[in-house]
Amino acid sequence: MACIATLSQTRAVLTSSEACERNKGPILGVLKVALAASRRVLEIGSGTGQHAVHFAANLPQLLWQPSELREHLAPLAERIALEGTRNLLPPIALDVRDDPWPAVPADALFSANTLHIMSWQEVQQFFRGAGALLAAGGVVCVYGPFRYGGRHTSDSNAAFDAYLKARDARSGVRDFEALDELARAHGFESIADDPMPANNRTLVWRRPAAR
Ligand SMILES: C[S@@+](CC[C@H](N)C(=O)[O-])C[C@H]1O[C@@H](n2cnc3c(N)ncnc32)[C@H](O)[C@@H]1O
C-alpha cells in the first residue's frame, strides 16, 4: 500500500493511503445501495481512517464505528478527531481474534483490504464475529482482490499474492468461493459482487430476514 504524508491544518502529520483516495469513490457507490437500510456500521481494520471519514460524510444516515488493532489505534483516532463528521464515532480496539468481539451495536459490517492480510484462521474468525454480531437483515461488505475458480483475475493480483505470501505465508488473496462458503455457514447469502478499479471487488452478503 503506497503511503504519503499529509500536513493537516492542525499540524499533525497523518499517514494517508493513495489507494484509499482512488477507491473510496467506487466503494461508496456500492455502499449507498448495500447499506440503504442500515443504521450502524462497524468497520474492521480501519487503517488510516480515510474510508471511515469519507463514508461517514457521504452516508449521513449512518453511524460509522471504526476499529483497529490496539497498536494501530492512535493515528486512526487522530484522523477521526480532526476530520470526522458527527456520525463518525471514535475508533475502538478490535482484533477479529477477540472472542467475543467488543459489544458494539451494528446492523452492518464493512472491511477493506483486510482478508488478504489476515491468516485464514483470522478470516474464519471475521465471519464468526459477523455471524454473532448481525441479526436478520444484517449486511457484510468487504473490498479487496479475490480469486475466482481458483484463478487470479489479473497478473497484478497474482504478483500481489506472491508478494504477500513471501512476506507472511499465512496471508494471501482469498478465493471468493471459500469466503462465500464461510459466509453461508454463518447464515449470510451473497447479494452483490461489484467490479472495482485495479482488479478489486466489493462483495456483499446479507443475513435473510426472519420468516
Ligand atoms: C492493508 S490494511 C487496510 C487498511 C484500510 N482498511 C484500507 O483499506 O486502507 C489491513 C488492516 O487490517 C488490520 N488487521 C490485520 N489483522 C487484523 C485482525 N486480526 N483484526 C482486526 N484488524 C486486523 C491491520 O491493522 C490493517 O489496518
Side-chain angles (χ1 to χ4, degrees):
M1 181 170 67
C3 288
I4 53 171
T6 306
L7 195 60
S8 79
Q9 291 165 330
T10 59
R11 297 193 195 158
V13 176
L14 298 177
T15 301
S16 294
S17 152
E18 291 173 21
C20 279
E21 290 307 308
R22 286 194 298 271
N23 63 35
K24 67 186 187 183
I27 300 172
L28 176 63
V30 176
L31 297 187
K32 279 184 172 165
V33 177
L35 304 181
S38 304
R39 288 292 167 264
R40 190 159 175 152
V41 181
L42 172 62
E43 181 182 8
I44 305 290
S46 299
T48 63
Q50 288 159 274
H51 281 154
V53 166
H54 188 67
F55 299 150
N58 287 281
L59 298 166
Q61 76 281 11
L62 293 176
L63 258 186
W64 195 277
Q65 175 64 74
S67 75
E68 248 305 338
L69 298 180
R70 186 172 300 281
E71 59 266 34
H72 299 150
L73 212 47
L76 172 63
E78 194 173 357
R79 164 159 276 121
I80 283 160
L82 288 170
E83 300 179 2
T85 42
R86 288 181 60 185
N87 60 331
L88 180 54
L89 299 169
I92 57 167
L94 193 157
D95 185 323
V96 295
R97 293 170 291 187
D98 296 340
D99 188 10
W101 286 2
V104 173
D107 53 13
L109 192 64
F110 171 77
S111 198
N113 287 318
T114 54
L115 300 187
H116 59 266
I117 299 297
M118 294 175 186
S119 67
W120 181 247
Q121 191 180 13
E122 289 169 315
V123 174
Q124 291 173 311
Q125 289 163 319
F126 174 93
F127 280 97
R128 174 200 36 89
L133 176 75
L134 300 174
V139 173
V140 178
C141 300
V142 298
Y143 168 89
F146 303 100
R147 302 194 326 158
Y148 291 81
R151 300 172 72 91
H152 289 289
T153 59
S154 69
D155 290 345
S156 60
N157 280 5
F160 182 52
D161 190 34
Y163 160 79
L164 288 170
K165 290 189 165 100
R167 208 179 55 160
D168 179 349
R170 299 167 306 164
S171 65
V173 174
R174 304 299 172 196
D175 287 302
F176 168 79
E177 294 83 358
L179 296 177
D180 192 45
E181 193 178 325
L182 260 185
R184 279 189 283 115
H186 288 286
F188 297 96
E189 59 186 30
S190 172
I191 58 166
D193 177 355
D194 289 294
M196 297 279 109
N199 303 301
N200 289 309
R201 317 282 301 183
T202 299
L203 311 179
V204 185
W205 289 273
R206 185 171 175 276
R207 176 166 269 174
R211 289 167 195 258

